[in-house]
Amino acid sequence: MPIIDVHAHVGRWQFHLTTGDGDTNLRQMDRYGIDLQLVSAAEAVVYDAVAGNAALREVLAQQPRLYGYAVVNPNRPEQSAADLRRCLDTGRFVGAKIHTHYPGRLPGSREMAEAFDVVAEAGVPLLLHTWGREVTLLPELLASRPGLRVIMGHAGGDAWREAAHAAASCDRLYLEHCRTATDAGRVAYAREAGVPVERLLFGTDATLIDPCVSLGVVRDAGFTQAELDRVLWRNAAELFGLGAVPSPTRPSP
C-alpha cells in the first residue's frame, strides 16, 4: 500500500538535532516505506519565509518524491501572496503552510484572517499548525472562504477534542495527528465525534520527529484495510491532486 506523508519538513531546526537536508528525508522515507512526502522549509517556518521557500524550490528540483508547501507569513500577507505564486508556478508546490505560534498570530487575529485570504485566493490546500482551543474558530473562518480546505496539523495538539468537534462541523477541515505526545484514543475520539475517514490524513513531522511515532498511532487506531488505504495515501492523493503515486520502495505490480 502506498504511503503519502502530508506533514514534513526539510532543513535544520533550532533544536539539538543533526538532521537538515533532503537526503535525510529520503533515507527515513525508504526506511518506513513512505513513497511521497509533502514538506515545508524549516527556515521558512521559524525565520524567513521567502528565503526558506526559495531554498526549498532548489531541493524539490532534485527530489521528485518530495512536494512542497510554500510558507505564508501572516505578518507579511502581500509579500507572501507574491511568493506563494512564484512557488506554485514551479509545479512542485501543491499547498501552503501557516504556522501560528512562531509568527505570533493565532486564528481570530486580523493578520491570520488576511493570510487565510491569501491561500484561498491561490486555491490550494492549507496545512495549518494548530495547538490550542483557538481551533474552535476555524469553522467560522472557513465559512466566509468557501473554496479553502484546511489540514489541522497536529489535530489541535493539546486541544485534540476541540479539534475533532470543529472538523466534524465543517467538511473542509481535515485532521492530521502527528505530535510527540501520543495521547491514546485521539483518532477514535475524532471518529466518534463525526469526522469521516475521508478527512483523516497521515503526517509525521519528519525530520523533526521520527516517522515511527505516527505510524504507531495509525497502527493503534484499529483501521480496516480499506480505511488504511484512505488514511495512508488515497485521501492525500485526492486532496492534492497527486494522481498515480509512484512506489519506489516496493516492486511494480
Side-chain angles (χ1 to χ4, degrees):
M1 180 182 299
I3 299 178
I4 301 176
D5 176 1
V6 304
H7 187 162
H9 308 279
V10 169
R12 294 190 179 279
W13 293 89
Q14 70 273 32
F15 310 114
H16 297 290
L17 299 170
T18 58
T19 58
D21 57 31
D23 291 338
T24 305
N25 292 67
L26 269 292
R27 284 194 297 272
Q28 285 192 345
M29 291 165 68
D30 288 341
R31 180 179 184 184
Y32 294 108
I34 296 170
D35 302 288
L36 299 179
Q37 201 169 58
L38 278 57
V39 299
S40 57
E43 178 186 1
V45 171
V46 303
Y47 182 59
D48 187 328
V50 173
N53 290 337
L56 183 58
R57 287 199 291 271
E58 296 182 9
V59 173
L60 298 181
Q62 303 299 321
Q63 303 287 3
R65 290 169 62 194
L66 302 181
Y67 286 90
Y69 292 106
V71 172
V72 170
N73 185 342
N75 292 307
R76 298 181 176 88
E78 293 185 3
Q79 180 188 58
S80 283
D83 192 46
L84 176 57
R85 178 50 55 195
R86 280 195 296 273
C87 291
L88 295 176
D89 285 347
T90 68
R92 301 290 295 129
F93 286 77
V94 294
K97 165 72 180 277
I98 298 179
H99 209 283
T100 49
H101 292 85
Y102 287 127
R105 305 298 183 187
L106 297 176
S109 68
R110 174 182 56 81
E111 292 83 359
M112 187 61 75
E114 291 177 356
F116 271 47
D117 287 338
V118 167
V119 182
E121 175 66 24
V124 293
L126 167 65
L127 172 61
L128 180 70
H129 173 91
T130 59
W131 206 282
R133 293 177 60 84
E134 65 272 8
V135 294
T136 60
L137 301 174
L138 292 175
E140 181 179 349
L141 280 168
L142 266 66
S144 57
R145 298 167 180 84
L148 184 59
R149 296 157 294 169
V150 174
I151 303 167
M152 302 166 74
H154 312 295
D158 57 3
W160 51 268
R161 295 178 181 83
E162 290 85 352
H165 291 288
S169 70
C170 176
D171 64 4
R172 287 180 286 115
L173 281 173
Y174 296 73
L175 293 180
E176 177 279 306
H177 276 91
C178 74
R179 57 182 294 211
T180 51
T182 56
D183 298 347
R186 284 178 292 150
V187 176
Y189 186 93
R191 300 194 68 183
E192 291 171 3
V195 182
V197 71
E198 289 79 8
R199 285 194 281 116
L200 299 177
L201 298 166
F202 173 71
T204 65
D205 218 0
T207 58
L208 191 58
I209 302 173
D210 193 284
C212 69
V213 178
S214 290
L215 287 168
V217 170
V218 169
R219 174 181 290 182
D220 192 50
F223 290 118
T224 67
Q225 280 300 116
E227 290 168 343
L228 276 177
D229 188 68
R230 276 270 162 209
V231 174
L232 288 179
W233 76 276
R234 194 176 297 278
N235 291 342
E238 292 176 357
L239 178 61
F240 291 96
L242 295 176
V245 179
S247 298
T249 60
R250 52 184 63 82
S252 300

